């Protein structure tokens, strides 16, 4: 618009000059320049904001996430590339963790199994005994509860983050137990231990680096955000004794409400496991844990 106005006045000035008459349009040109000079910054900002809003809408349509959660996803992918290979895991280690994620992984009689359904702690699919023990020793798995001689295993906080990272970067998994052991041995050498101590350390899975545990944060989709807002609205109205408009949709966060900075999150290291693993005899035993309050 400013360009068209300038061109129109410039044509008028040239026409008056060519006709040999007084160039009255020159005064209008000076005034117009002064007006446009003060208006242009606001116009440029408006155009820039429109372009940013359009780009944000396109990114949301592609990723189903807002800007903050897209940044989380990018950060998580970087963490996965940095740390997964150092874990010394194979695809078999991931399968054990995925079995625990279902809430149906249990240990009984020195064997690990995935129950056919939750609560039926008998039979089911056999799970690698050795890898299950490795995960428990490293505290990727913890005891969720026990019934007689049955111990139910679930993911620890560290295990949850680690499983998510391995899914983001499966290329960091090792193709065999031999290459996985070699990777753990290489990491143990960085600690300047004796050779025998290095080999002993390599036989166990190392914990996930504390930086990855601290920085990782699960992205939340726009659909999840909307569902959360709907639940909050219903709960708040129910608590206040008002009407619960369950059928009324809640608008998802707008583009203008997108956050332009990332807030950090701390994923605390897991607590001590509720049982230990006897690596020589392959037996798990329950033990108590004292929690200090205050």
């Amino acid at each position: 618009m400013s360009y068209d106005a300038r061109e129109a006045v410039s044509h008028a000035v040239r026409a008056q000059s060519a006709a040999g008459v007084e160039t009255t349009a020159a005064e209008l040109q000076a005034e117009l320049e002064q007006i446009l000079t003060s208006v242009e910054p606001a116009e440029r900002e408006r155009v820039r904001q429109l372009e940013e809003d359009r780009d944000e809408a396109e990114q949301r349509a592609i990723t189903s996430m807002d800007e903050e959660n897209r940044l989380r996803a990018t950060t998580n992918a970087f963490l996965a590339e940095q740390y997964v290979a150092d874990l010394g895991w194979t695809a078999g280690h991931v399968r054990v963790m995925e079995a625990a994620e279902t809430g149906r992984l249990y240990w009984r009689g020195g064997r690990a199994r995935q129950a056919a359904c939750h609560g039926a702690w008998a039979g089911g699919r056999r799970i690698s005994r050795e890898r299950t023990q490795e995960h428990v020793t490293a505290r990727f798995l913890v005891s969720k509860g026990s019934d007689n001689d049955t111990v139910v295993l679930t993911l620890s906080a560290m295990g949850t983050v680690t499983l998510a990272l391995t899914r983001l970067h499966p290329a960091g998994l090792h193709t065999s137990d031999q290459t996985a052991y070699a990777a753990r041995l290489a990491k143990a050498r960085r600690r300047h231990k004796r050779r025998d101590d290095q080999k002993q350390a390599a036989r166990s899975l190392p914990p996930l680096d504390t930086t990855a545990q601290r920085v990782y944060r699960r992205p939340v989709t726009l659909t999840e955000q909307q569902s959360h807002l709907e639940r909050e609205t219903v709960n708040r109205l129910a608590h206040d004794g008002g009407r619960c408009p369950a059928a009324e949709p809640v608008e998802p966060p707008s583009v203008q409400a997108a956050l332009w900075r990332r807030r950090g999150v701390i994923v605390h290291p897991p607590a001590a496991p509720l049982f230990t693993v006897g690596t020589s005899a392959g037996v798990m035993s329950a033990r108590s844990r004292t929690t200090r309050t205050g």
Side-chain angles (χ1 to χ4, degrees):
M1 181 180 296
S2 59
Y3 174 79
D4 294 338
R6 283 193 176 97
E7 283 296 300
V9 174
S10 295
H11 283 303
V13 171
R14 287 195 294 271
Q16 288 178 334
S17 178
V21 299
E22 183 181 0
T23 56
T24 56
E27 296 180 2
L28 176 61
Q29 186 178 38
E31 293 179 4
L32 181 63
E33 285 292 336
Q34 183 177 359
I35 294 173
L36 292 179
T37 299
S38 62
V39 171
E40 278 180 344
E43 177 66 15
R44 285 196 298 268
E45 176 61 23
R46 187 185 70 85
V47 172
R48 184 191 66 79
Q49 187 63 53
L50 287 175
E51 291 177 350
E52 286 187 356
D53 290 351
R54 182 169 58 250
D55 292 341
E56 175 66 17
E58 292 175 355
Q59 288 298 317
R60 289 184 173 212
I62 294 171
T63 64
S64 297
M65 290 185 286
D66 59 20
E67 192 268 348
E68 180 185 13
N69 285 282
R70 293 196 304 272
L71 181 57
R72 290 185 191 176
T74 301
T75 302
N76 294 343
F78 173 77
L79 291 174
E81 292 180 2
Q82 290 293 110
Y83 295 107
V84 168
D86 286 342
L87 293 170
W89 285 21
T90 64
H93 289 96
V94 175
R95 287 193 293 270
V96 173
M97 297 291 284
E98 289 175 338
E101 187 181 34
T102 66
R104 293 183 279 117
L105 179 64
Y106 71 97
W107 181 275
R108 172 183 286 176
R111 295 189 180 279
R113 290 181 181 273
Q114 182 180 359
C117 60
H118 192 275
W121 310 123
R125 183 168 65 92
R126 293 183 62 177
I127 303 296
S128 170
R129 170 178 172 274
E130 292 77 13
R131 291 191 175 102
T132 301
Q133 287 185 325
E134 289 174 350
H135 282 313
V136 172
T137 301
R139 300 184 182 180
F140 292 111
L141 295 179
V142 293
S143 171
K144 183 180 180 181
S146 61
D147 180 16
N148 298 327
D149 60 343
T150 301
V151 178
V152 181
L153 301 175
T154 188
L155 302 179
S156 65
M158 179 176 65
T160 300
V161 174
T162 307
L163 178 59
L165 294 180
T166 58
R167 286 170 170 166
L168 290 175
H169 188 57
L173 299 174
H174 298 276
T175 57
S176 67
D177 290 332
Q178 289 74 23
T179 57
Y181 172 82
R184 296 195 297 268
L185 181 61
K187 184 174 183 179
R189 286 180 183 145
R190 302 173 192 172
R191 301 172 183 173
H192 307 290
K193 295 181 179 180
R194 294 186 303 121
R195 182 66 176 176
D196 290 343
D197 293 337
Q198 292 174 8
K199 291 181 179 180
Q200 181 62 34
R203 295 188 185 99
S204 302
L205 298 179
L208 179 65
D209 190 278
T210 55
T211 298
Q213 295 182 55
R214 184 176 65 254
V215 174
Y216 175 87
R217 191 175 185 184
R218 188 181 75 84
V220 182
T221 65
L222 294 172
T223 301
E224 290 175 315
Q225 291 183 39
Q226 180 175 347
S227 298
H228 178 71
L229 289 174
E230 290 174 351
R231 288 193 301 270
E232 280 192 339
T233 301
V234 171
N235 292 337
R236 182 171 61 254
L237 290 174
H239 181 269
D240 295 340
R243 184 172 60 89
C244 299
E248 297 180 7
V250 177
E251 290 294 329
S254 63
V255 173
Q256 288 77 9
L259 299 175
W260 297 102
R261 65 184 181 85
R262 176 169 60 86
R263 295 188 295 272
V265 64
I266 298 177
V267 180
H268 294 285
L274 299 182
F275 58 90
T276 57
V277 180
T279 55
S280 60
V283 178
M284 292 188 178
S285 60
R287 78 177 185 183
S288 63
R289 181 178 61 187
T290 303
T291 301
R292 180 175 299 174
T293 59

